C-alpha cells in the first residue's frame, strides 16, 4: 500500500520512517538554501515571483509523495523568498534566525508539540517558562513579572492591554471579562502621536477604539513630550514606546511612569525591538525607567533573531493578565502555577519556547549584547557613509535605525526603487515628519561589516545615478 502520499498508513513504524525521510530531504534542501542565500539577490525578480503561479491550479484530486511536494516547493518557492536570513536585508525591522534557533525549529517541527499546557507538552511548557525567565532578566524587567510567548508584538499588545483593561476596570468594581465594555466606566487611553499602528489595532480589538485615545505630541525624534501629557485625574492607560519604528528613539519612560502611577494609572510599553537595547550595556541607558512600567510587549522574531513567529508579553502583576486570558472547562483541569493557555489569547499553540531557549542558550548574555551593539554600530556606519557621500540623515542614530533623504521626495523615492531593483541589499521607504525617507534597519545577526560596505557602496552608486 502506498503511504508516501499520506493516504493510508499501516504501522506506526512506517509513519516514523516516512516522516524521517521527508525531514531528511527537507533538511538537505534547507541546508543548501542556507548555504547559498547570501549569494542571491535580496528580493526576487518579478518573473520569479510570477512563477509562483505554477503552484496554483485546481485543488489536486490525487495526492503526491512528500518528496515530490518538497521538490516542487524548493524549485518554485525557494527562489521567490526574500533573503532576510542573509546579511543584506534592511527592510522594515526584520531579523534573521541565529543558527541554533533555526536548527531548533527543524527539531521542533519533528516534535510538533502543542504548547497549550503541561498535559499536552511538558517539554514545550518548561522550555517556554525557562526562556521567559531568561528574557525577562535580559530585558531588565522586574523579577516578579510574568508573561507568555505569543505570535508577535501586535498580539502581545492585545494581551497586555487586555490585562490593563481588566486591572483598571476592576478598580471601579467592573468585571470586564464577565460584563463586557457596554456600560463600563470610561478609561482614558493616552498614546504618543508616533504610536505604532499595532497599538491602535490592539486598542480596537479590545474595544477601546482605534481613534478614541488622547494623543500626546512628540519631539523631533518622535519621543513623547512629558510636558504635553494631559493632566491625569484618575486611572488611565498610557502606551509608550521603546524604539520608534522610524528613528529608534525611546519615550521618556522614567518621567511618564512616575506621573501615571501617581494618578493610579497603567503604563504599557510597546518595545517590539527597542526593548532589547536593555541587554546591551552601551545602549541600556536608552531604556531607563522602562522597568517601572506595568506591561511590556516585544518580539523574538525581530532583534533576537529567532524564526517567525514569536512575540513576548510581560506584566508586572500576573493577576490581571491571568484574569483576562484564562480558559475554563472541566477537561482543562490545570492546577499547575503557570499554564500558557491561561496567559495568552491562544489555546493550542506552537512551541515557540524551543527556539527562544535555543537562541538564548547559544548566544548567552554576552552574545545577545554583542548582537544588539554590533547591529547598532552597523547602523552608525551606514549613516556615516551616506553623510560623507553628501546625503542627509534625518534622525539621531541612537539604535539600529537610519533615515536618509537623497534630496527631494521624488529623488528619494527613485533611489529607494533603484536600490530595491538592484538587489544588492533591500531597504524600504517611509515618511518622516512630512519628508520621504529611505529607512535602513540593521536587525540581523548575519550582517557583517563587509555587508554594510557592499550595501553602502551600492546605495551611494545608485543615488549618484538618480536623476536630480
Ligand atoms: C514591528 C513593530 C510592532 C509590531 O510587531 P509585530 O511583530 O509585527 O506584530 C509594534 N511596534 C513596533 C514599535 C514595531 O517596530
Amino acid at each position: 500500500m502506498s503511504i508516501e502520499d499520506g493516504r493510508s498508513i499501516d504501522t506506526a513504524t512506517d509513519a516514523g520512517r516516512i516522516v524521517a525521510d521527508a525531514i531528511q530531504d527537507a533538511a538537505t534542501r534547507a541546508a543548501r538554501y542556507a548555504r547559498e542565500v547570501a549569494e542571491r539577490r535580496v528580493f526576487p525578480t518579478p518573473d520569479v515571483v510570477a512563477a509562483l503561479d505554477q503552484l496554483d491550479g485546481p485543488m489536486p484530486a490525487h495526492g503526491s509523495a512528500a518528496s515530490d511536494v518538497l521538490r516542487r516547493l524548493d524549485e518554485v518557492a525557494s527562489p521567490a523568498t526574500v533573503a532576510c536570513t542573509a546579511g543584506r536585508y534592511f527592510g522594515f525591522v526584520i531579523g534573521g534566525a541565529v543558527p541554533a534557533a533555526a536548527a531548533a525549529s527543524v527539531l521542533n517541527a519533528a516534535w510538533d508539540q502543542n504548547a497549550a499546557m503541561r498535559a499536552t507538552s511538558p517539554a514545550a511548557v518548561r522550555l517556554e517558562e525557562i526562556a521567559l525567565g531568561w528574557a525577562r532578566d535580559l530585558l531588565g524587567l522586574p523579577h516578579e513579572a510574568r508573561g507568555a510567548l505569543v505570535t508577535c508584538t501586535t498580539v502581545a499588545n492585545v494581551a497586555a492591554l487586555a490585562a490593563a483593561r481588566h486591572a483598571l476596570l476592576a478598580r471601579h468594581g467592573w468585571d470586564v471579562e464577565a460584563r463586557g465594555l457596554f456600560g463600563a466606566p470610561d478609561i482614558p487611553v493616552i498614546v504618543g502621536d508616533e504610536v505604532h499602528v499595532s497599538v491602535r489595532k490592539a486598542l480596537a480589538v479590545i474595544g477601546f477604539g482605534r481613534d478614541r485615545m488622547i494623543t500626546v505630541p512628540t519631539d523631533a525624534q518622535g519621543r513623547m513630550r512629558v510636558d504635553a501629557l494631559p493632566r491625569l485625574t484618575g486611572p488611565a492607560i498610557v502606551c509608550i514606546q521603546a524604539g520608534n519604528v522610524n528613528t529608534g528613539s525611546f519615550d521618556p519612560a522614567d518621567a511618564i511612569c512616575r506621573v501615571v502611577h501617581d494618578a493610579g494609572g497603567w503604563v504599557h510599553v510597546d518595545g517590539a525591538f527597542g526593548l532589547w537595547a536593555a541587554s546591551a550595556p552601551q545602549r541600556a541607558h536608552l531604556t531607563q525607567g522602562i522597568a517601572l512600567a506595568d506591561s511590556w510587549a516585544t518580539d523574538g522574531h525581530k532583534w533576537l533573531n529567532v524564526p517567525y513567529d514569536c512575540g513576548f508579553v510581560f506584566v508586572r502583576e500576573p493577576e490581571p493578565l491571568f484574569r483576562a486570558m484564562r480558559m475554563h472547562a472541566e477537561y482543562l483541569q490545570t492546577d499547575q502555577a503557570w499554564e500558557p493557555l491561561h496567559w495568552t489569547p491562544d489555546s493550542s499553540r506552537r512551541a515557540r519556547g524551543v527556539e527562544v531557549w535555543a537562541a538564548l542558550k547559544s548566544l548567552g548574555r554576552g552574545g545577545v549584547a554583542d548582537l544588539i551593539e554590533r547591529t547598532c554600530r552597523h547602523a552608525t556606519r551606514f549613516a556615516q557613509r551616506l553623510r560623507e557621500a553628501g546625503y542627509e540623515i534625518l534622525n539621531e542614530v541612537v539604535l539600529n535605525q537610519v533615515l536618509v533623504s537623497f534630496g527631494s521626495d521624488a529623488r528619494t523615492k527613485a533611489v529607494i526603487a533603484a536600490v530595491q531593483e538592484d538587489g544588492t541589499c533591500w531597504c524600504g521607504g517611509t515618511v518622516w515628519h512630512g519628508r520621504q525617507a529611505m529607512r535602513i534597519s540593521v536587525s540581523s545577526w548575519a550582517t557583517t561589516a563587509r555587508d554594510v560596505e557592499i550595501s553602502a557602496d551600492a546605495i551611494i552608486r545608485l543615488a549618484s545615478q538618480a536623476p536630480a
Side-chain angles (χ1 to χ4, degrees):
M1 188 180 298
S2 160
I3 48 179
E4 299 286 327
D5 60 7
R7 263 180 302 187
S8 49
I9 194 84
D10 287 323
T11 69
T13 318
D14 283 346
R17 177 181 62 77
I18 291 160
V19 173
D21 288 349
I23 287 180
Q24 202 98 59
D25 185 6
T28 304
R29 292 181 182 280
R32 188 190 315 134
Y33 178 90
R35 230 182 335 265
E36 294 173 357
V37 67
E39 311 305 323
R40 296 185 17 196
R41 284 177 56 81
V42 174
F43 200 89
T45 55
D47 53 313
V48 170
V49 174
L52 288 168
D53 286 348
Q54 292 170 24
L55 301 175
D56 197 0
M59 170 65 205
H62 304 290
S64 309
S67 56
D68 290 336
V69 172
L70 218 59
R71 180 181 326 109
R72 201 81 188 112
L73 275 179
D74 196 20
E75 285 172 359
V76 182
S78 285
T81 57
V82 176
C84 46
T85 55
R88 296 199 294 276
Y89 185 83
F90 307 110
F92 306 95
V93 185
I94 287 190
V98 291
S105 79
V106 177
L107 196 53
N108 204 8
W111 291 352
D112 189 29
Q113 299 290 284
N114 182 344
M117 50 189 165
R118 279 164 225 265
T120 55
S121 179
V125 174
R126 191 72 185 106
L127 282 165
E128 179 167 343
E129 197 174 40
I130 297 165
L132 284 166
W134 287 353
R136 177 197 62 210
D137 294 347
L138 269 178
L139 297 171
L141 304 183
H143 194 69
E144 69 271 21
R146 289 287 172 275
L149 296 177
V150 290
T151 51
C152 59
T153 292
T154 303
V155 170
N157 283 332
V158 169
L161 290 168
R165 180 182 67 172
H166 173 94
L168 298 199
L169 284 172
R171 283 189 213 155
H172 290 282
W174 188 273
D175 179 351
V176 67
E177 281 73 37
R179 301 170 73 182
L181 273 180
F182 300 103
D186 189 30
I187 302 287
V189 178
I190 298 165
V191 302
D193 64 11
E194 276 290 321
V195 64
H196 193 269
V197 284
S198 66
V199 172
R200 279 186 193 276
K201 181 171 175 171
L203 289 167
V205 169
I206 67 164
F208 279 6
R210 195 182 283 273
D211 300 322
R212 183 186 147 273
M213 60 269 220
I214 302 161
T215 304
V216 179
T218 52
D219 68 11
Q221 297 303 313
R223 293 172 293 223
M224 206 191 278
R225 281 177 37 206
V226 184
D227 63 318
L229 268 181
R231 206 170 64 81
L232 302 175
T233 52
I237 298 174
V238 180
C239 301
I240 63 171
Q241 223 167 207
N244 178 289
V245 77
N246 283 311
T247 64
S249 71
F250 290 68
D251 286 339
D254 218 333
I256 294 171
C257 287
R258 282 175 212 289
V259 174
V260 177
H261 286 161
D262 282 349
W266 179 293
V267 179
H268 170 65
V269 180
D270 170 8
F273 60 101
L275 207 53
W276 292 91
S279 67
Q282 302 96 318
R283 309 281 156 176
H285 63 277
L286 295 165
T287 65
Q288 212 216 325
I290 292 252
L292 299 172
D294 302 281
S295 59
W296 303 266
T298 192
D299 268 322
H301 55 221
K302 286 181 176 170
W303 226 352
L304 182 59
N305 280 250
V306 301
Y308 287 94
D309 46 19
C310 181
F312 297 71
V313 57
F314 288 105
V315 285
R316 172 187 299 280
E317 284 271 332
E319 190 73 9
L321 182 61
F322 175 72
R323 295 281 160 204
M325 295 295 152
R326 72 181 160 162
M327 293 178 93
H328 246 345
E330 287 310 320
Y331 72 92
L332 291 178
Q333 284 175 356
T334 53
D335 40 29
Q336 295 276 356
W338 185 77
E339 297 279 15
L341 86 167
H342 296 311
W343 296 85
T344 75
D346 310 313
S347 55
S348 293
R349 55 205 282 277
R350 207 172 74 75
R352 301 182 183 89
V354 175
E355 293 123 18
V356 177
W357 185 89
L360 295 176
K361 176 76 176 165
S362 74
L363 290 166
R365 194 177 274 281
V368 177
D370 182 56
L371 163 62
I372 299 307
E373 183 54 29
R374 195 171 70 232
T375 40
C376 290
R377 278 203 311 269
H378 289 330
T380 303
R381 175 65 182 159
F382 262 120
Q384 185 191 13
R385 288 283 319 266
L386 293 164
R387 205 181 275 123
E388 282 170 6
Y391 304 114
E392 186 185 358
I393 304 301
L394 302 182
N395 65 319
E396 286 171 16
V397 182
V398 292
L399 209 64
N400 61 335
Q401 306 292 113
V402 183
L403 298 178
V404 52
S405 161
F406 296 95
S408 68
D409 283 1
R411 191 157 194 281
T412 300
K413 274 190 185 162
V415 175
I416 295 167
V419 167
Q420 293 181 354
E421 147 114 50
D422 170 70
T424 305
C425 64
W426 201 95
C427 305
T430 189
V431 174
W432 177 247
H433 288 185
R435 291 181 66 187
Q436 181 66 48
M438 186 173 86
R439 184 167 68 141
I440 302 171
S441 170
V442 191
S443 310
S444 174
W445 76 281
T447 300
T448 62
R450 194 174 130 72
D451 285 321
V452 175
E453 301 307 325
I454 292 171
S455 302
D457 287 346
I459 295 167
I460 292 165
R461 171 175 50 81
L462 294 160
S464 72
Q465 291 163 3

